[in-house]
Amino acid sequence: MKIIKLIFTAIILSTIFVSCSSDDDDEIIANPMEGFNLVTSFDANNHSIELYSKKNDFSIGYNEVYIRIKDIATKSYVSQSEISWMPMMHMTQMEHSCPKSTLTVTEDKTVSKGFMVFQMPGNANEYWDITIAYTINGEEFTAKKTIDVISPADGKQKISTFMGSDGARYVLTMTAPTEPKVAVNDFTAMLFKMENMMTFPVVENYKITIDPRMPSMGNHSSPNNENLSYDAASKMYKGKLSLTMTGYWKINLKLLNESQEVLKGEDVTTDNLESSLFFEIEF
């Protein structure tokens, strides 16, 4: 009888162990958005549309954004949905869009990735919204949401919209470094030309010279900088930015076209302490 009880007890313990292990395995589901912030979400068409970023909010300049769409009824995320977007700024006298990428599906098929470059913040009378168009199982949907776009918390210039000497209007935005260090930093930017209020194609094969200076320290520069040149794979301009100490830096810039003609910006000299085209970093 004791043997039967022991066998019965072993079977129960084994069943409990397997059951607990199975439950634990079910709970260990990788979250593809771990480490990202849910900037905004809204419901439409019985779906929940979620927009994520490494930032806490949308701010002027470059914003890398991730989108997921959840079926509210099943509480499951939709895989491989075809998604497009259109951000719009509604001003008192006009409307315009901004530079943006197409959305591409990531390795996690429920997540699509892209970027938007906001030229200006919203205010009490002017605002941004974003229209999301998507297709699920052949059925097309649209959804629109007003979004808050703010100036960066540090107040430093990371984007410039300007008229070049060629008569074209450009948008130049810094994309990295996002966490500058006392070191030679990877330095990247994106350049767009404004064809009209809705279209901002990437400008290729121009050149952007850099001259970082510390105005509070005699306007000294730094060694081992590399000017920005176009990288076709990333569609970005890449170079190196040497920051030799913490504090406020003005990154003086010049934009040159393929013929090496200066479209915007000036050299820094003893008589000219800054360029009219620049980014700012303080850390």
Side-chain angles (χ1 to χ4, degrees), residues 198-214:
M198 302 298 168
T199 310
F200 301 80
V202 171
V203 178
E204 302 178 357
N205 301 320
Y206 279 23
K207 180 180 179 181
I208 303 166
T209 67
I210 68 172
D211 186 355
R213 300 280 178 151
M214 290 199 83

Side-chain angles (χ1 to χ4, degrees), residues 9-277:
T9 301
I11 292 172
I12 292 175
L13 290 173
S14 176
T15 302
I16 292 172
F17 178 79
V18 171
S19 176
C20 289
S21 298
S22 177
D23 289 344
D24 290 344
D25 290 343
D26 289 343
E27 290 175 2
I28 302 173
I29 299 174
N31 176 11
M33 302 318 300
E34 184 175 355
F36 291 83
N37 299 307
L38 179 62
V39 180
T40 189
S41 66
F42 58 102
D43 295 343
N45 313 311
N46 297 316
H47 301 127
S48 178
I49 296 139
E50 302 174 349
L51 280 70
Y52 295 82
S53 175
K54 283 286 188 181
K55 300 179 180 180
N56 294 316
D57 43 46
F58 296 129
S59 59
I60 59 173
Y62 180 83
N63 295 258
E64 194 168 76
V65 182
Y66 298 77
I67 295 183
R68 299 184 88 189
I69 298 174
K70 181 192 288 185
D71 186 301
I72 294 175
T74 64
K75 297 182 179 180
S76 60
Y77 287 99
V78 177
S79 295
Q80 295 180 315
S81 175
E82 297 178 15
I83 308 176
S84 62
W85 56 6
M86 177 57 76
M88 286 290 296
M89 177 53 164
H90 301 270
M91 303 180 69
T92 55
Q93 301 295 326
M94 68 178 73
E95 296 180 342
H96 64 80
S97 186
C98 66
K100 66 184 187 305
S101 69
T102 57
L103 286 159
T104 56
V105 178
T106 66
E107 289 183 3
D108 185 294
K109 303 302 183 183
T110 69
V111 181
S112 293
K113 172 184 176 182
F115 68 80
M116 294 180 284
V117 179
F118 299 113
Q119 307 98 312
M120 59 189 298
N123 56 52
N125 300 311
E126 300 169 319
Y127 66 93
W128 287 92
D129 64 26
I130 182 169
T131 300
I132 308 290
Y134 58 101
T135 302
I136 300 175
N137 298 325
E139 187 173 359
E140 297 179 353
F141 303 93
T142 59
K144 182 182 288 188
K145 167 72 171 177
T146 299
I147 57 174
D148 293 325
V149 177
I150 64 173
S151 297
D154 63 5
K156 299 301 180 285
Q157 181 164 301
K158 304 294 194 301
I159 182 172
S160 182
T161 301
F162 58 91
M163 183 76 74
S165 61
D166 58 353
R169 184 167 291 278
Y170 295 92
V171 178
L172 176 65
T173 183
M174 187 170 76
T175 57
T178 56
E179 298 180 358
K181 297 178 175 61
V182 176
V184 177
N185 298 260
D186 290 331
F187 188 39
T188 59
M190 297 194 78
L191 179 66
F192 306 89
K193 181 180 289 186
M194 182 178 176
E195 288 190 345
N196 52 53
M197 290 295 187
M198 302 298 168
T199 310
F200 301 80
V202 171
V203 178
E204 302 178 357
N205 301 320
Y206 279 23
K207 180 180 179 181
I208 303 166
T209 67
I210 68 172
D211 186 355
R213 300 280 178 151
M214 290 199 83
S216 65
M217 300 291 290
N219 217 34
H220 74 71
S221 188
S222 59
N224 303 317
N225 293 287
E226 293 182 11
N227 293 326
L228 302 175
S229 57
Y230 184 70
D231 176 69
S234 63
K235 297 184 179 180
M236 291 187 179
Y237 286 79
K238 294 186 174 183
K240 297 291 183 181
L241 175 64
S242 175
L243 302 174
T244 54
M245 59 190 300
T246 59
Y248 170 74
W249 288 83
K250 176 168 281 189
I251 318 302
N252 297 281
L253 309 168
K254 287 195 306 179
L255 176 64
L256 291 76
N257 63 16
E258 291 177 291
S259 301
Q260 302 302 301
E261 298 168 328
V262 177
L263 302 182
K264 180 69 173 178
E266 301 81 28
D267 290 324
V268 177
T269 66
T270 54
D271 296 322
N272 183 60
L273 298 181
E274 61 183 22
S275 173
S276 60
L277 182 63

